[in-house]
Amino acid sequence: SDRTTMQVGEEVVLTARVSTAFPDLLPADLRLELPDCLEPQQSPRLSSPVSASRAVTLRLTAKAVCKGEFAPAARLAPWGQSRQVGLQVLQPATFTLQKTGPEAAAVGERVTYRLRVVNSGDVAGTVRLRDVLPEGLEGENLEQTLTLPPGQSQTLELAARLTPRAGATLTNRAVLLNASGQEFAAAQSTLRVLRPKAELSRSLDRRKVLPGEVVTVSLRVRNGGEAPLDYALTDAYPEWIEPLEKPEF
């Protein structure tokens, strides 16, 4: 083997060579037996006579498709001989992304998202994390390059303010990019946008009055929404009513 350690997706060249001191031609059926995680790129078998002046060489390229420790074997028939080599296949840096955030927030509130990047591979790797805030969130976008050892993770937080331009629901999406700038993983968090709902009603304590009589006017403000309501209340009286005291709200 041209290597003893490799990563999933890489190729290895395996070589089996048969030689003899016998001067005449002898039959030789040579084959390489590979585990399922090594995919042969050429035929793994070669039949050719061998002699003292004629060696036989089988060279095979194999691609690793899964991780593990393997022992590819070369077997020679009809002579019942075999040789094997040790080969370790590692999982390359493999990144996943998780994102969490609030389920609901009111307009004007500060919301915080938590992003967790995990390298579940067997080797260290570098990845770029990007989170561009959508319309309705006001703050700084996140763009950061992370280098993580095997089996390690890193958590980052992104804070923004929820603005009136947000819709009824708001989805914030983050992505992971490889060295070529291609997106290969994504995670998102959706929140429900809470808003106040002002309801104003006016009532009189009597329906019919005579000139000079006193009538009480009541104004009622109700918040039928799901977020606190800030308001300023003013009232304009009709010409036929003269306030006797300063209104109280």
Side-chain angles (χ1 to χ4, degrees):
S1 174
D2 66 343
R3 63 178 72 186
T4 57
T5 302
M6 60 186 300
Q7 296 182 29
V8 173
E10 294 181 339
E11 293 184 345
V12 61
V13 178
L14 301 172
T15 303
R17 186 174 183 273
V18 180
S19 62
T20 180
F22 195 74
D24 297 329
L25 293 175
L26 297 174
D29 185 4
L30 182 62
R31 73 179 188 276
L32 285 170
E33 295 181 350
L34 304 180
D36 292 339
C37 286
L38 294 178
E39 291 185 348
Q41 305 299 296
Q42 300 92 23
S43 173
R45 185 171 182 176
L46 176 63
S47 294
S48 179
V50 62
S51 68
S53 60
R54 178 187 174 92
V56 174
T57 300
L58 173 59
R59 186 172 287 107
L60 173 67
T61 300
K63 182 177 182 179
V65 296
C66 52
K67 63 177 290 185
E69 294 187 2
F70 309 106
R75 303 192 184 280
L76 178 63
W79 311 104
Q81 296 186 26
S82 65
R83 294 290 187 274
Q84 64 183 25
V85 63
L87 183 62
Q88 183 181 28
V89 180
L90 304 176
Q91 181 69 31
T94 304
F95 294 99
T96 56
L97 175 62
Q98 301 169 349
K99 182 171 189 174
T100 57
E103 295 182 357
V107 171
E109 285 186 350
R110 183 176 182 268
V111 296
T112 300
Y113 295 96
R114 177 169 293 182
L115 301 101
R116 184 171 182 260
V117 181
V118 181
N119 178 11
S120 58
D122 298 319
V123 297
T126 299
V127 69
R128 186 150 47 103
L129 172 62
R130 174 182 294 168
D131 192 330
V132 178
L133 296 175
E135 184 178 24
L137 282 178
E138 183 178 77
E140 295 291 333
N141 296 329
L142 176 64
E143 181 106 16
Q144 189 166 339
T145 299
L146 307 175
T147 299
L148 295 179
Q152 298 298 308
S153 66
Q154 186 169 343
T155 300
L156 300 93
E157 289 189 348
L158 175 63
R161 187 179 66 85
L162 194 58
T163 73
R165 302 183 66 179
T169 59
L170 188 146
T171 299
N172 185 17
R173 184 172 182 266
V175 297
L176 292 179
L177 308 172
N178 59 22
S180 302
Q182 297 176 325
E183 176 185 323
F184 67 89
Q188 65 184 33
S189 177
T190 300
L191 63 80
R192 189 164 53 91
V193 180
L194 308 179
R195 285 183 167 85
K197 182 180 180 182
E199 299 173 0
L200 176 63
S201 61
R202 178 198 292 271
S203 63
L204 303 176
D205 65 341
R206 62 180 71 183
R207 292 291 183 179
K208 296 180 181 181
V209 293
L210 297 175
E213 290 185 334
V214 176
V215 62
T216 300
V217 180
S218 299
L219 299 175
R220 182 173 183 267
V221 179
R222 179 178 180 272
N223 180 10
E226 298 178 294
L229 173 65
D230 296 324
Y231 67 94
L233 181 61
T234 59
D235 191 21
Y237 301 98
E239 295 181 355
W240 57 273
I241 290 182
E242 179 182 346
L244 299 179
E245 55 189 10
K246 183 179 179 180
E248 295 183 359
F249 299 128

